[in-house]
Amino acid sequence: MSVKLLTIKEEVMGANDEIARKNRELIDAHLILMINITSAPGAGKTSLILQTINRFRSNTRIAVVEGDVASTIDADKVNQLSIPAIQINTAGACHLDANMVKKALENLDLSNLDLIIIENVGNLICTAGFALGAHKDVMLLSVPEGDDKPYKYPMMFTASDVILVNKVDVSPYFDFNLESFSRAVFGLKPAAKIFPVSAKTGQGLQAWYDWLENEMSVIKKRGSSR
Protein backbone atom coordinates (compact mmCIF):
# COMPACT_ATOMS: atom_id res chain seq x y z
CA MET A 1 0.00 0.00 0.00
CA SER A 2 2.78 2.44 0.87
CA VAL A 3 4.50 1.88 -2.47
CA LYS A 4 1.27 2.50 -4.34
CA LEU A 5 0.68 5.77 -2.52
CA LEU A 6 4.21 6.92 -3.31
CA THR A 7 3.67 6.17 -6.98
CA ILE A 8 0.46 8.17 -7.02
CA LYS A 9 2.23 11.12 -5.39
CA GLU A 10 5.02 10.98 -7.96
CA GLU A 11 2.48 10.96 -10.79
CA VAL A 12 0.63 13.95 -9.34
CA MET A 13 3.81 15.96 -8.79
CA GLY A 14 5.13 15.02 -12.22
CA ALA A 15 1.94 16.24 -13.88
CA ASN A 16 2.07 19.46 -11.87
CA ASP A 17 5.68 20.09 -12.82
CA GLU A 18 4.90 19.62 -16.51
CA ILE A 19 2.10 22.19 -16.36
CA ALA A 20 4.38 24.54 -14.42
CA ARG A 21 6.98 24.20 -17.18
CA LYS A 22 4.39 25.17 -19.79
CA ASN A 23 3.27 28.12 -17.64
CA ARG A 24 6.88 29.35 -17.58
CA GLU A 25 7.22 28.95 -21.34
CA LEU A 26 4.05 30.98 -21.83
CA ILE A 27 5.08 33.92 -19.68
CA ASP A 28 8.62 33.82 -21.08
CA ALA A 29 7.17 34.14 -24.56
CA HIS A 30 5.43 37.33 -23.43
CA LEU A 31 8.49 38.66 -21.51
CA ILE A 32 6.55 38.70 -18.24
CA LEU A 33 8.15 38.30 -14.81
CA MET A 34 5.99 36.12 -12.55
CA ILE A 35 6.69 35.86 -8.82
CA ASN A 36 5.04 33.59 -6.27
CA ILE A 37 4.59 35.10 -2.79
CA THR A 38 4.04 32.76 0.15
CA SER A 39 3.65 33.24 3.89
CA ALA A 40 1.68 32.20 6.93
CA PRO A 41 -1.78 33.80 7.28
CA GLY A 42 -1.57 37.41 8.44
CA ALA A 43 2.10 37.98 7.64
CA GLY A 44 1.24 40.88 5.33
CA LYS A 45 1.30 39.53 1.76
CA THR A 46 -1.61 41.65 0.56
CA SER A 47 -0.23 44.80 2.18
CA LEU A 48 3.11 44.22 0.48
CA ILE A 49 1.42 43.64 -2.88
CA LEU A 50 -0.64 46.82 -2.59
CA GLN A 51 2.49 48.84 -1.74
CA THR A 52 4.30 47.26 -4.69
CA ILE A 53 1.45 48.07 -7.05
CA ASN A 54 1.43 51.70 -5.94
CA ARG A 55 5.20 51.92 -6.48
CA PHE A 56 5.24 50.43 -10.00
CA ARG A 57 1.81 51.05 -11.51
CA SER A 58 2.84 54.22 -13.36
CA ASN A 59 5.37 52.41 -15.56
CA THR A 60 4.65 48.68 -15.17
CA ARG A 61 1.69 46.66 -16.37
CA ILE A 62 0.72 44.47 -13.43
CA ALA A 63 -1.77 41.67 -12.74
CA VAL A 64 -2.36 39.71 -9.55
CA VAL A 65 -3.45 36.11 -9.06
CA GLU A 66 -5.05 35.75 -5.63
CA GLY A 67 -5.16 32.35 -3.94
CA ASP A 68 -7.47 31.83 -0.98
CA VAL A 69 -9.47 29.01 0.52
CA ALA A 70 -12.55 31.22 0.20
CA SER A 71 -13.70 34.84 -0.39
CA THR A 72 -12.58 37.61 -2.77
CA ILE A 73 -11.46 40.07 -0.09
CA ASP A 74 -7.86 40.46 -1.30
CA ALA A 75 -8.76 40.48 -5.01
CA ASP A 76 -11.29 43.23 -4.32
CA LYS A 77 -8.54 45.37 -2.74
CA VAL A 78 -6.38 44.93 -5.83
CA ASN A 79 -9.29 45.74 -8.16
CA GLN A 80 -9.86 48.99 -6.29
CA LEU A 81 -6.47 50.08 -7.65
CA SER A 82 -7.67 49.34 -11.21
CA ILE A 83 -5.28 46.39 -11.47
CA PRO A 84 -6.56 43.14 -13.02
CA ALA A 85 -6.93 40.39 -10.43
CA ILE A 86 -7.88 36.74 -10.86
CA GLN A 87 -9.32 35.11 -7.75
CA ILE A 88 -8.69 31.41 -7.21
CA ASN A 89 -10.67 29.83 -4.38
CA THR A 90 -9.17 26.46 -3.54
CA ALA A 91 -12.23 25.15 -1.64
CA GLY A 92 -10.13 23.82 1.21
CA ALA A 93 -6.82 23.10 -0.51
CA CYS A 94 -3.86 24.63 1.33
CA HIS A 95 -1.96 25.74 -1.77
CA LEU A 96 -2.19 26.76 -5.39
CA ASP A 97 -1.03 24.33 -8.05
CA ALA A 98 0.22 24.79 -11.60
CA ASN A 99 -3.12 23.95 -13.20
CA MET A 100 -4.89 26.63 -11.17
CA VAL A 101 -2.30 29.17 -12.31
CA LYS A 102 -2.65 27.93 -15.90
CA LYS A 103 -6.37 28.74 -15.80
CA ALA A 104 -5.63 32.17 -14.34
CA LEU A 105 -3.15 32.91 -17.14
CA GLU A 106 -5.79 31.96 -19.68
CA ASN A 107 -7.97 34.73 -18.28
CA LEU A 108 -5.33 37.47 -18.43
CA ASP A 109 -4.28 39.61 -21.38
CA LEU A 110 -0.66 38.48 -21.38
CA SER A 111 0.23 40.73 -24.30
CA ASN A 112 -0.41 43.71 -22.03
CA LEU A 113 1.54 42.71 -18.91
CA ASP A 114 5.06 43.08 -17.50
CA LEU A 115 4.59 41.58 -14.04
CA ILE A 116 2.31 38.93 -12.55
CA ILE A 117 2.23 38.62 -8.77
CA ILE A 118 0.82 35.40 -7.34
CA GLU A 119 -0.42 35.61 -3.76
CA ASN A 120 -0.43 32.00 -2.65
CA VAL A 121 -2.64 30.57 0.09
CA GLY A 122 -1.41 31.44 3.59
CA ASN A 123 0.50 28.30 4.58
CA LEU A 124 4.09 27.42 5.48
CA ILE A 125 4.01 23.76 4.49
CA CYS A 126 2.35 22.58 1.29
CA THR A 127 2.86 25.78 -0.74
CA ALA A 128 6.55 24.89 -0.94
CA GLY A 129 5.92 21.60 -2.69
CA PHE A 130 4.05 22.74 -5.80
CA ALA A 131 5.82 24.47 -8.67
CA LEU A 132 3.66 27.07 -10.42
CA GLY A 133 5.93 28.27 -13.22
CA ALA A 134 7.01 31.44 -11.43
CA HIS A 135 10.49 32.83 -12.05
CA LYS A 136 11.06 33.59 -8.38
CA ASP A 137 9.60 32.40 -5.06
CA VAL A 138 9.28 35.09 -2.42
CA MET A 139 8.46 34.35 1.21
CA LEU A 140 7.10 36.83 3.71
CA LEU A 141 7.72 36.24 7.42
CA SER A 142 6.49 38.71 10.04
CA VAL A 143 8.43 39.62 13.16
CA PRO A 144 5.65 38.44 15.54
CA GLU A 145 5.99 34.90 14.12
CA GLY A 146 9.46 34.52 15.65
CA ASP A 147 12.98 33.97 14.34
CA ASP A 148 12.89 30.17 14.72
CA LYS A 149 10.77 29.46 11.63
CA PRO A 150 13.68 28.31 9.42
CA TYR A 151 14.18 25.42 11.84
CA LYS A 152 10.49 24.54 11.93
CA TYR A 153 9.70 24.94 8.22
CA PRO A 154 13.01 24.35 6.42
CA MET A 155 11.43 23.39 3.09
CA MET A 156 9.79 26.82 2.75
CA PHE A 157 13.07 28.63 3.23
CA THR A 158 14.99 26.27 0.98
CA ALA A 159 12.43 26.89 -1.78
CA SER A 160 12.46 30.69 -1.45
CA ASP A 161 14.73 33.01 -3.41
CA VAL A 162 13.83 36.07 -1.34
CA ILE A 163 12.66 36.35 2.27
CA LEU A 164 11.07 39.58 3.42
CA VAL A 165 11.00 40.02 7.18
CA ASN A 166 7.87 42.12 7.53
CA LYS A 167 6.55 44.27 10.39
CA VAL A 168 9.99 45.42 11.52
CA ASP A 169 8.23 48.53 12.86
CA VAL A 170 7.06 46.43 15.83
CA SER A 171 10.46 44.81 16.47
CA PRO A 172 10.91 46.58 19.82
CA TYR A 173 7.98 44.59 21.19
CA PHE A 174 9.18 41.14 20.12
CA ASP A 175 12.28 39.02 20.68
CA PHE A 176 13.15 38.63 17.01
CA ASN A 177 16.89 38.24 16.42
CA LEU A 178 17.51 39.15 12.77
CA GLU A 179 21.14 38.05 12.88
CA SER A 180 20.25 34.59 14.22
CA PHE A 181 17.40 34.32 11.72
CA SER A 182 19.68 35.25 8.82
CA ARG A 183 22.27 32.63 9.83
CA ALA A 184 19.58 29.97 9.86
CA VAL A 185 18.26 31.03 6.44
CA PHE A 186 21.71 31.14 4.83
CA GLY A 187 22.43 27.71 6.30
CA LEU A 188 19.49 26.38 4.30
CA LYS A 189 19.98 28.53 1.19
CA PRO A 190 23.21 30.53 0.98
CA ALA A 191 22.04 32.47 -2.11
CA ALA A 192 18.82 33.71 -0.52
CA LYS A 193 18.23 37.44 -0.17
CA ILE A 194 16.75 38.83 3.05
CA PHE A 195 15.02 42.22 3.19
CA PRO A 196 13.77 43.59 6.55
CA VAL A 197 10.69 45.66 5.69
CA SER A 198 7.48 47.18 6.95
CA ALA A 199 4.63 47.06 4.44
CA LYS A 200 2.74 49.41 6.76
CA THR A 201 5.30 52.22 7.13
CA GLY A 202 7.35 51.60 3.98
CA GLN A 203 10.55 51.00 5.91
CA GLY A 204 13.08 48.98 3.90
CA LEU A 205 10.83 48.59 0.87
CA GLN A 206 13.24 50.34 -1.50
CA ALA A 207 15.57 47.32 -1.40
CA TRP A 208 12.62 45.12 -2.38
CA TYR A 209 11.65 47.49 -5.18
CA ASP A 210 15.21 47.57 -6.48
CA TRP A 211 15.38 43.77 -6.53
CA LEU A 212 12.04 43.50 -8.33
CA GLU A 213 13.01 46.13 -10.89
CA ASN A 214 16.24 44.28 -11.60
CA GLU A 215 14.40 40.98 -12.10
CA MET A 216 12.02 42.61 -14.57
CA SER A 217 14.96 44.07 -16.48
CA VAL A 218 16.53 40.60 -16.70
CA ILE A 219 13.39 39.30 -18.41
CA LYS A 220 13.36 42.19 -20.87
CA LYS A 221 17.05 41.69 -21.70
CA ARG A 222 16.39 38.05 -22.52
CA GLY A 223 13.77 39.20 -25.00
CA SER A 224 16.04 41.73 -26.66
CA SER A 225 18.80 39.14 -27.11
CA ARG A 226 16.60 36.70 -29.04
Side-chain angles (χ1 to χ4, degrees), residues 185-204:
V185 170
F186 293 141
L188 293 168
K189 188 161 188 174
K193 295 187 179 299
I194 300 175
F195 300 134
V197 303
S198 170
K200 182 177 178 63
T201 68
Q203 180 180 344

Side-chain angles (χ1 to χ4, degrees), residues 42-43 141-146 165-177 196-203:
L141 178 94
S142 65
V143 165
E145 293 173 67
V165 180
N166 192 29
K167 305 185 182 180
V168 294
D169 51 307
V170 299
S171 292
Y173 306 102
F174 294 91
D175 296 325
F176 190 100
N177 188 314
V197 303
S198 170
K200 182 177 178 63
T201 68
Q203 180 180 344

Side-chain angles (χ1 to χ4, degrees), residues 70-81:
S71 87
T72 62
I73 294 173
D74 294 336
D76 291 341
K77 292 178 181 178
V78 172
N79 272 324
Q80 287 174 5
L81 298 178

Side-chain angles (χ1 to χ4, degrees), residues 124-193:
L124 287 182
I125 302 175
C126 48
T127 51
F130 285 80
L132 305 179
H135 292 96
K136 296 293 181 179
D137 291 296
V138 177
M139 180 183 174
L140 204 67
L141 178 94
S142 65
V143 165
E145 293 173 67
D147 54 24
D148 59 353
K149 292 301 177 288
Y151 300 103
K152 294 183 176 181
Y153 304 97
M155 187 175 177
M156 281 299 308
F157 290 88
T158 302
S160 299
D161 301 292
V162 174
I163 294 97
L164 292 101
V165 180
N166 192 29
K167 305 185 182 180
V168 294
D169 51 307
V170 299
S171 292
Y173 306 102
F174 294 91
D175 296 325
F176 190 100
N177 188 314
L178 183 61
E179 184 178 350
S180 175
F181 172 80
S182 299
R183 282 199 304 269
V185 170
F186 293 141
L188 293 168
K189 188 161 188 174
K193 295 187 179 299

